[in-house]
Amino acid sequence: MTLLLTVFAAVAATVVWYKKDQDGSMKTSLLCFMFWGASIMWLVDAVFEYAELGAGYFTPAAADMLNDAFLGLSVIALALIVWVAVLLIKDPKGRVKGVLFRKKS
Amino acid sequence: MACFLVPTAEALVISAVKKAESVKEKKNPGASGEAKAEKIPFSRKLSWLTGLLWGGAFLLAFEHVWHGEVVPFFPFLTAASNPEDAAEMLHEMATTGVTMAAAVTVVWIGMLAASAIIERRARKAREAKEGA
């Protein structure tokens, strides 16, 4: 479930990067790298688990599936927080700088 | 248990190589103009690999914290507290961890192949434009 959610997040981030971030100013490539990197690594983990459990890998207990889904959503939230933090720190469009140094009239 | 440490170690090494490569590229800029625009510097290609490795290892580290395998106090890895678990952890690093790092590297090699095709197409288009 974690792998599945991360793959969906990776595909969504890649589509946004391709369609909306031509100049790279929104730093969506960071999200793509995080999600694709984690997806590849969890895929390898899944293959090893499948080799150990066999078909049982595809019939997890409901509690395990819920925990994995919760973990997957938390991973996505963490990656989004990192991305927003990097975006605000690098401030490629100068929005934060503009707000901080705006003079009150 | 600690499989993410192998991609992290690879990320550290590749980051150092990338730094050295970008210093070398600044000293020897090479081609200029349109020819330069269609040639992707190797340091940039290396940054794709470091991005995948650091990004993936970071999210995997979070998963290990989630499962209580990484803790914020010494020895930081719960499996390192007794020899039996430590042996199992090292075995997992040698199998799953190494395969993870290798899989990311294979995907990166695929990205290099795709970018080489795109670079070749751009060069051919420029040459055709110059020839016309």
Side-chain angles (χ1 to χ4, degrees):
Chain A
M1 199 61 148
T2 311
L3 168 65
L4 212 53
L5 285 169
T6 315
V7 168
F8 282 130
V11 171
T14 308
V15 170
V16 172
W17 168 80
Y18 188 82
K19 282 196 79 169
K20 302 276 182 192
D21 197 16
Q22 276 93 344
D23 59 352
S25 62
M26 288 302 289
K27 306 268 171 216
T28 47
S29 59
L30 176 71
L31 277 177
C32 295
F33 283 131
M34 279 197 284
F35 287 138
W36 280 119
S39 296
I40 296 164
M41 291 178 195
W42 272 318
L43 177 68
V44 170
D45 203 32
V47 169
F48 273 89
E49 221 171 310
Y50 176 74
E52 200 181 303
L53 301 174
Y57 173 75
F58 297 107
T59 49
D64 291 342
M65 219 158 82
L66 188 67
N67 185 270
D68 274 357
F70 194 27
L71 170 62
L73 291 173
S74 303
V75 161
I76 293 169
L78 178 69
L80 289 172
I81 289 167
V82 169
W83 169 65
V84 167
V86 170
L87 190 67
L88 293 179
I89 291 166
K90 296 228 171 176
D91 194 20
K93 295 196 173 182
R95 295 270 163 82
V96 178
K97 199 178 163 192
V99 169
L100 290 177
F101 295 102
R102 190 167 52 202
K103 284 180 184 167
K104 285 182 181 172
S105 54
Chain B
M1 283 181 161
C3 48
F4 71 98
L5 289 178
V6 180
T8 307
E10 188 187 345
L12 273 171
V13 173
I14 301 296
S15 296
V17 173
K18 189 187 91 178
K19 185 81 184 160
E21 186 63 26
S22 66
V23 168
K24 206 168 86 181
E25 283 166 3
K26 272 181 191 162
K27 279 183 186 167
N28 308 307
S32 60
E34 277 187 57
K36 189 182 179 181
E38 70 204 25
K39 179 99 180 97
I40 304 166
F42 190 61
S43 62
R44 193 168 164 204
K45 290 176 181 175
L46 283 173
S47 74
W48 304 338
L49 180 57
T50 55
L52 286 171
L53 287 167
W54 281 121
F58 171 69
L59 293 183
L60 253 77
F62 174 72
E63 186 225 332
H64 285 72
V65 172
W66 180 279
H67 288 133
E69 292 165 351
V70 174
V71 286
F73 45 83
F74 190 80
F76 304 109
L77 300 164
T78 43
S81 52
N82 72 72
E84 274 176 33
D85 286 349
E88 199 185 327
M89 178 185 77
L90 290 173
H91 179 259
E92 199 197 79
M93 282 169 73
T95 52
T96 317
V98 169
T99 314
M100 279 175 178
V104 171
T105 310
V106 166
V107 168
W108 176 69
I109 291 168
M111 288 168 75
L112 289 188
S115 76
I117 293 167
I118 293 166
E119 282 174 82
R120 200 181 320 135
R121 274 191 201 152
R123 194 172 57 243
K124 276 185 182 169
R126 178 175 56 85
E127 284 167 0
K129 207 170 86 178
E130 283 171 358

